[in-house]
């Protein structure tokens, strides 16, 4: 386990810089309370890096990440590229290059519900009972990274996996299942795809090594339905790169907002933490974005670094905000707090505890706090 001191910060695009600033405030609050000295070094990725250097992931960004103990990322994407499908250089390439260069082969996305937000989801509260699962998404292979070709009248994206690529994420998913409710579901399309059949081979072989783990297999089309119909059936979900991408956005509907889903990406050497959501360009610069997903990503960073008490403290501060409805407008349009207020409040909770906040007056005049 690496000591967490030097943190590379890649705010990226859209709301990325705003949400990342709040996460830094939270880390600084943790530093103050527990006497840790965190150093933050900023770098560019995505559209921000294209504007600056012409390259969505310049070599200095990769160097910065490699020389840091952990990486905190915001979001990637800019509408000016979405409107131009022919653009040769795209912000997303920066994120993909970063994942590949750092060999971040697994992306972990926990789906944890906050009880008093259950009413905010479009899904019935009865369906949301006991929902608690985690998605293990393979991150550096599959259709994202296969050979690509485009002619005037044809295009192809190859989906390629080696046994080794599947094994290294599968073993982590089984290990996680052992720490949880000992259930693992492989999401695939083995009735159609050869790559999915290889995934099944690997998972079946590992299920013999982990006899205590109950394993089942779901086709992606069925799985996307089960996530909505019967989400509490899942414990650890194992997916290839593309299926994991799709199903994690879908799972955010259970939680009530994409603004609440954190993620951690890991490889042998490096780890990167980022919210699941995108760059939400419509909200950029307005101080309305929900920083919770990024703050929860920081909680994952602390936990992975073995700073369990610190991580628990962040979690308690977040839970307090949820309980007292101290929320951004995506979750509570009536009493809403700004992105920066959320960062200030959570930091205050961490350093001084809940006594420092007078919740009632927060709600009456939500600009007067901290
Ligand atoms: C994600 C994002 C990325 C992905 C995009 C921005 C390339 O949607 O992290 O889920 O598809 O992996
Ligand atoms: Mn995605």
């Amino acid at each position: 386990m690496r000591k967490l001191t030097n943190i590379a910060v890649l705010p990226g695009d859209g709301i990325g810089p705003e949400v990342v600033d709040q996460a830094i405030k939270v880390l600084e609050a943790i530093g103050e309370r527990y006497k840790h000295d965190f150093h933050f070094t900023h770098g560019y990725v995505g559209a921000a890096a294209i504007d600056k250097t012409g390259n969505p992931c310049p070599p200095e960004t990769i160097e910065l990440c490699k020389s840091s103990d952990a990486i905190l990322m915001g979001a990637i994407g800019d509408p000016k590229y979405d409107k131009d499908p022919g653009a040769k250089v795209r912000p997303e390439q920066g994120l993909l290059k970063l994942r590949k260069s750092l060999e971040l082969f697994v992306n972990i996305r926990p789906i944890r519900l906050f009880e008093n937000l259950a009413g905010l989801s479009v899904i019935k509260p009865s369906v949301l009972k006991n929902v608690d699962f985690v998605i293990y998404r393979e991150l550096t292979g599959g259709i994202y990274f296969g050979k690509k070709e485009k002619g005037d009248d044809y295009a192809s994206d190859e989906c390629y996996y080696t046994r080794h690529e599947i094994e290294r994420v599968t073993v982590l998913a089984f290990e996680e299942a052992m720490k949880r409710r000992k259930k693992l579901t492989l999401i695939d399309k083995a009735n159609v795809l050869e790559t999915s059949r290889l995934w099944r081979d690997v998972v079946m072989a590992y299920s013999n090594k982990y006899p205590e783990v109950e394993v089942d297999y779901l086709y992606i089309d069925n799985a996307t339905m089960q996530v909505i119909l019967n989400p509490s059936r899942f414990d650890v979900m194992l997916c290839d790169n593309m299926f994991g991408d799709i199903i994690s956005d879908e799972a955010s509907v259970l939680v009530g907002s994409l603004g609440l889903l954190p993620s951690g990406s890991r490889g042998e050497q490096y780890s990167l933490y980022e919210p699941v959501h995108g760059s939400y360009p419509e909200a950029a610069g307005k101080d309305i974005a929900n920083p919770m997903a990024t703050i929860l990503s920081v909680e994952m960073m602390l936990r992975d670094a073995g700073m369990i008490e610190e991580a628990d403290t962040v979690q308690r501060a977040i839970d307090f905000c949820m309980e007292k409805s101290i929320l951004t407008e995506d979750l509570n349009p009536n009493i809403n707090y700004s992105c920066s207020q959320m960062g200030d409040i959570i930091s205050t909770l961490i350093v001084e505890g809940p006594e420092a906040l007078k919740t009632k007056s927060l709600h009456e005049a939500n600009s007067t706090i901290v």
Side-chain angles (χ1 to χ4, degrees), residues 109 137 144 245 248-249 276:
R109 299 183 163 180
R137 168 187 176 194
Y144 272 63
D245 177 47
S248 48
D249 269 28
V276 170

Side-chain angles (χ1 to χ4, degrees), residues 252-284:
S252 77
V253 174
L254 304 169
V255 186
S257 169
L258 194 50
L260 290 175
L261 285 198
S263 89
S265 303
R266 279 199 228 134
E268 297 294 343
Q269 285 178 281
Y270 309 106
S271 15
L272 179 149
Y273 300 84
E274 56 170 320
V276 170
H277 62 69
S279 60
Y280 192 13
E282 302 82 353

Side-chain angles (χ1 to χ4, degrees), residues 117-182:
L117 297 190
L120 293 176
S121 173
V122 293
I123 313 289
K124 284 190 204 128
S126 59
V127 174
L128 295 175
K129 276 220 174 75
N130 304 320
V131 169
D132 177 10
F133 62 93
V134 58
I135 300 169
Y136 270 59
R137 168 187 176 194
E138 198 289 328
L139 202 61
T140 47
I143 196 166
Y144 272 63
F145 291 95
K147 208 167 74 199
K148 295 180 185 301
E149 249 187 279
K150 186 168 180 308
D152 285 340
D153 303 312
Y154 76 95
S156 87
D157 296 278
E158 184 184 50
C159 183
Y160 182 90
Y161 268 112
T162 63
R163 181 175 289 274
H164 168 70
E165 285 174 318
I166 302 171
E167 278 176 348
R168 59 185 180 178
V169 53
T170 298
V171 68
L172 293 182
F174 271 98
E175 288 293 330
E176 180 69 14
M178 287 299 288
K179 290 188 218 138
R180 297 174 48 101
R181 302 195 308 277
K182 299 192 171 58

Side-chain angles (χ1 to χ4, degrees), residues 19 131 187-188 214 271 308 364 369:
V19 293
V131 169
I187 313 292
D188 64 25
E214 183 197 332
S271 15
I308 307 300
E364 279 164 5
I369 25 105

